[in-house]
Amino acid sequence: PNYCTDEVSNHALAMLLALNRKLLLTHRLIVEDRYSIDKIRPIIRLKDSTVGIVGMGNMGRSFGEKVRPLVKRVLVYDPYVDHPAGCEKVELVELCATADYISLHLPLLPETRNLIDRQLLEVMKPTACVINTGRGGTLDEEALAELLRDGRLGGAGLDVIETEPLPQNSPLRELSNVILTGHNAWYSEGSIRELKETAARQVIQILEGNRPNYAIA
């Protein structure tokens, strides 16, 4: 359960930084000889921003530790966490209405499917950005694409989507304020090695008559 915590939290942070500085949009404008600073306005100073984290498992906690020194406030929604260290626990509606960047770190369960639905997306700031490195299906992607296209949201960074690979007709492909990656936030050579070594150690522990670290029951 821990093998790629550093990679996924880094990936979410990288997406946040790229969205904040509008790196992808700036790159496209320069390549197409259409750049002017007016086309990337507004950029909110990061240290004046509020980040919202939805889900404070291993990945959410790691992301929170990394982003907290960079921003003004970190809000957290997780019904199973009472006192998130260094963060403010709030209800989901307040988080969505307040945060400039909202990072999802959720498993896909019946209670989390489409948790971030159209209603919650519509209460977000028109400059807000949504980042999902958790699981596809926890976010209403159709509503997200519509709001991004109409300028009612600032941007999105998506490593996971409900249908993978991304369908050819997805409107997300056409939006300049969306960063898409291929469900690869988990990946580094080190994370692969750690995954294999950890699994092997569990087998050894069982063969030696010991309880494994990550027993299900």
Side-chain angles (χ1 to χ4, degrees), residues 55 77-82 89 106:
Y77 171 77
D78 191 321
Y80 304 104
V81 175
D82 291 328
K89 184 174 180 179
L106 297 167

Side-chain angles (χ1 to χ4, degrees), residues 121-138:
L121 289 167
E122 288 179 345
V123 304
M124 294 178 188
K125 298 177 181 180
T127 54
C129 297
V130 181
I131 298 159
N132 191 3
T133 55
R135 286 290 181 267
T138 59

Side-chain angles (χ1 to χ4, degrees), residues 5 28 39 45-46 80 90 166 184 198:
T5 300
R28 288 181 175 178
K39 292 180 180 178
R45 180 175 277 184
L46 191 60
Y80 304 104
V90 296
L166 184 67
N184 59 288
T198 302

Side-chain angles (χ1 to χ4, degrees), residues 57-84:
N58 292 334
M59 307 301 182
R61 285 196 303 273
S62 179
F63 174 74
E65 291 169 1
K66 292 171 181 177
V67 78
R68 198 163 57 239
L70 304 178
V71 299
K72 184 177 181 180
R73 299 172 70 196
V74 178
L75 308 179
V76 168
Y77 171 77
D78 191 321
Y80 304 104
V81 175
D82 291 328
H83 304 289

